[in-house]
Amino acid sequence: MAPIYSRIIATGSALPERVVSNADLEKIVDTSDEWIRTRTGIRQRHIAAEGQTTGDLAFLAAQRALETAGVKAAELDLIVVGTTTPDLIFPSTACLVQDRLGANGCPAFDVNAACSGFMYSLGIADKFIRSGQSKKVLVIGAETLTRMIDWNERETCVLFGDGAGAVVLEAASEPGVYATCMHADGGYKELLWNPVGVSAGFSDEPNHGVRIKMAGREVFKVAVKTLDSLVDETLQAAGMHESDIDWLIPHQANLRIIEATAKRLQMPMERVIVTVDQHANTSSGSVPLALDYAVRSGKVQRGQNLLLEAFGGGFTWASALLRY
Ligand code: ACO
């Protein structure tokens, strides 16, 4: 039997309307635009309106991707949503989005891999397609991470934003996706986490203790080192070399981490998609938002090879090398 591959046929994204600049944050914590820009590359972030949920952003991004693909929701045979900020404990955000799209009946589930959520979801969807189980899959990365920020803590509140991105994947006779890699090391759980959940530390008081905690410097060091070996592993899995990659589309957490990965790949920054300045760190939303920007701005062209990667809480890290 001829091998089956998956390929991205369309992308979409959604951002909340409200933009908060570094200067705005200067008014609420002891920080400066200069500190934020030089340490992270961030200039602004979008923040969800009161009542606007991860599912709302995911739905909009999905609608845009489906419209661009010319695919009807009823044609989908799987929906996977990478998110660590679901609307509800259950049903999953994927189920909520499925119903709003009118794709009722197909399997739908969330993947919680923190900032690697979209990359994990893409890897899983690719395997569903390769196995012959699914033919048209909606993969979304969506977050409202600012809902669990302590706005008094300057170390974390300047880093995050809200947003969502989506892709429609389709079965194809040629790649498409050449390789995906996924890893986790729960030994690092306390370097970047939210220590409150349903079965630990739960309280029904509004927003009780639901806050991101991060040891920034330590996360930075492990992220750079881990992403170095991840890109090597991904190139090897795809049977490619650095020079075969047209665009690096990295997780948008910190410009200095992105630059370190680009250097490792010997790629000039002109071949790297950077949106962290506009969006800050949108966790699972980050890579598909950057991908949609790259496609819609005309930077990424059909037939080009893209290396996508992410690193996040867990720790988790994951990648994909694909022909767009
Ligand atoms: N404004 C002004 N000063 C600040 C701020 C702020 N917002 N935040 C921290 N500082 C101060 C610190 O208190 C510290 O002061 P001190 O020297 O008097 O103690 C000083 O700045 C330096 O702090 P460092 O932690 O050394 O700064 P660093 O250069 O490491 O930058 C940062 C901090 C931006 C958090 C960086 O470590 C980083 O990006 N880490 C990785 C985080 C990351 O990528 N997370 C995402 C991956 S996982 C995910 O996406 C969820």
Side-chain angles (χ1 to χ4, degrees):
M1 217 172 75
I4 310 171
Y5 299 96
S6 73
R7 75 182 183 104
I8 294 177
I9 57 166
T11 64
S13 64
L15 288 158
E17 261 175 48
R18 185 173 159 224
V19 174
V20 173
S21 68
N22 292 346
D24 294 328
L25 293 182
E26 285 176 3
K27 292 173 200 146
I28 60 169
V29 282
D30 180 16
T31 191
S32 68
D33 172 53
E34 203 264 337
W35 192 96
I36 302 171
R37 271 190 298 102
T38 53
R39 300 290 173 130
T40 70
I42 297 166
R43 290 173 185 272
Q44 62 171 45
R45 70 285 293 142
H46 292 248
I47 295 192
E50 212 183 317
Q52 186 175 36
T53 67
T54 294
D56 293 335
L57 296 171
F59 172 67
L60 281 176
Q63 265 191 327
R64 286 170 188 156
L66 287 169
E67 223 172 82
T68 309
V71 167
K72 292 192 183 69
E75 294 175 60
L76 294 172
D77 43 27
L78 175 65
I79 299 175
V80 190
V81 178
T83 188
T84 193
T85 49
D87 288 22
L88 307 171
I89 291 166
F90 70 89
S92 68
T93 305
C95 286
L96 303 179
V97 171
Q98 184 218 48
D99 182 45
R100 284 174 73 176
L101 289 171
N104 307 62
C106 71
F109 57 86
D110 288 359
V111 173
N112 179 351
C115 297
S116 309
F118 174 79
M119 296 311 310
Y120 263 61
S121 302
L122 187 67
I124 292 165
D126 174 59
K127 274 140 199 80
F128 266 77
I129 288 181
R130 280 179 189 248
S131 73
Q133 176 86 31
S134 311
K135 291 198 166 51
K136 282 194 173 63
V137 182
L138 177 64
V139 185
I140 305 173
E143 304 276 12
T144 44
L145 222 77
T146 65
R147 290 273 154 70
M148 52 182 185
I149 275 174
D150 181 346
W151 291 102
N152 299 310
E153 195 183 280
R154 67 177 183 174
E155 286 79 6
T156 47
C157 78
V158 302
L159 301 177
F160 299 100
D162 301 325
V167 302
V168 180
L169 272 188
E170 191 178 65
S173 54
E174 286 176 12
V177 175
Y178 289 107
T180 61
C181 302
M182 287 180 227
H183 293 279
D185 186 344
Y188 288 105
K189 59 188 174 293
E190 288 172 16
L191 289 188
L192 175 56
W193 66 330
N194 186 329
V196 173
V198 179
S199 136
F202 186 77
S203 158
D204 53 10
E205 278 172 42
N207 294 326
H208 164 83
V210 187
R211 300 285 180 261
I212 294 175
K213 308 272 175 219
M214 180 171 74
R217 207 174 301 181
E218 284 76 10
V219 175
F220 188 98
K221 280 189 215 146
V222 184
V224 170
K225 208 165 135 241
T226 305
L227 289 170
D228 266 9
S229 36
L230 180 64
V231 297
D232 286 347
E233 180 193 348
T234 316
L235 286 169
Q236 207 175 357
M240 289 194 187
H241 300 285
E242 284 90 344
S243 56
D244 295 320
I245 307 303
D246 294 296
W247 291 98
L248 172 65
I249 307 188
H251 175 44
Q252 309 285 324
N254 185 311
L255 184 60
R256 291 185 293 146
I257 298 178
I258 295 173
E259 285 169 344
T261 308
K263 198 166 161 203
R264 172 69 193 80
L265 279 167
Q266 299 165 35
M267 288 188 80
M269 285 306 285
E270 297 79 60
R271 308 301 280 172
V272 180
I273 301 298
V274 175
T275 54
V276 68
D277 55 331
Q278 299 300 307
H279 303 160
N281 182 350
T282 56
S283 187
S284 290
S286 146
V287 173
L289 264 165
L291 174 63
D292 187 50
Y293 157 75
V295 167
R296 286 177 196 266
S297 63
K299 287 180 185 243
V300 162
Q301 299 288 322
R302 283 281 169 205
Q304 290 187 321
N305 290 331
L306 317 182
L307 178 53
L308 280 49
E309 46 83 348
F311 179 89
F315 289 149
T316 56
W317 58 102
S319 62
L321 205 163
L322 58 94
R323 177 181 290 257
Y324 178 66

